[in-house]
Amino acid sequence: MRYGVPTGLAALALGLAAALTFTPTAQAGPPRPAPSAAAAPAQFAHPGVLNSRAQLDFVRTKVQAGQQPWKGAFDAMLASAYGSLSRTPKPRAVVECGSYSNPDIGCSDEREDAIAAYSDALAWYITRDAKYAKKSIELMDAWSAKIKDHTNSNAPLQSGWAGSTWPRAAEIIKHTYTGGWPNQGRFATMLRDVYLPEVINGKPNSNGNWELIMMDAAVGISVHLDDRASYDKAMAIYLGRVPAYFYLASDGPQPKYPPRSGIDTRSELIDYWHGQSTFVDGLAQETCRDFGHTGMGIAATMHVAETSRIQGRDLYPEFKDRFRHALGFHAAYELGAPVPSWLCGGSLAKGIGPATEVGYNALHTRLGVAMENTRRLTEGRRPAGTENHFEAWETLTHAENPN
């Protein structure tokens, strides 16, 4: 297997045999401690949340030259509601989000205004047209002037979704736009006081996409605030969660216990993995829940790895096998590979979303890893747009980006 799951019926049969080889035996014990995080850089790089200046320059050059897929991705972004200069922000003092965003009292508005601010920031950088920077600032200012809290059961996740997107926009505007942003300090205070407390401690007992998304937000906010202590804390949680979310056979006969969770027996672990008791390379904790949430987990994982690389620690070589198998495993089934009976009872809820572009670029373009299924899925769905939560325009920003 080169990229996470074999192709063809014969290879699938081999995969089944391999899977059965790793059928776990009883194993109990305390959760394994999270590995310690490397110290934050002595000085953060800016812009440095998901996109570096070199990456943005690469994108700008490609779009200005009319090259594909970047020009098509850029045009799609500008044609969307997120790229509209007539957009009216809809801030609220209190955003209330229940399970699955029900009730949705400001939840969609907040996430989508954050994506719009990021879209406008990208448009500013690529075009150097100040009207986009001013629109991004208008959206960020509207929310920083009003929001005070998130409530109800989805408050941490909602804070993660919006809180991961806001600093991407703010990094570009603060560090590349010279036209002025008088309320930048107020926006930073919003990130520090409203979002960071909701996400920085994680949610160890929730499905893993929660903690990964929350760390996506916490890491990005920490970079924007030049907050080394919060960065270290968020990275420590992330480095413990990633091996507990994506399985490799080298982990042993069963996945790692999620740190800090209290899940410490085999039966609890299988229940946490949505009833899956056979483990193979690339399987994720939420694979048997659905690919939508798994895709969010994948996207958040790659976002943090991308930001970490910009800030001086490249996690891709360290996690290369875990990442490539996770991407390839899910890509194969998303593309239509038959689902064996040992996997999620023979039925998968597909729909991974635009989750593969960042990881595929990091592993294939920069590290030269062969990933045929991931390539087919990623290139076949370009330009990747947004799932309206926190993944946005990643064909534009990361397709074939060597920087």
Side-chain angles (χ1 to χ4, degrees), residues 146-161:
K146 194 158 189 178
I147 189 166
K148 301 298 180 185
D149 199 11
H150 296 87
T151 63
N152 214 320
S153 59
N154 253 33
L157 183 59
Q158 174 71 19
S159 300
W161 282 326

Side-chain angles (χ1 to χ4, degrees), residues 322-351:
R322 203 174 294 274
F323 287 173
R324 72 182 179 94
H325 282 298
L327 287 164
F329 180 90
H330 294 90
Y333 292 111
E334 188 79 3
L335 288 166
V339 183
S341 60
W342 55 264
L343 178 60
C344 308
S347 178
L348 294 171
K350 295 186 288 186

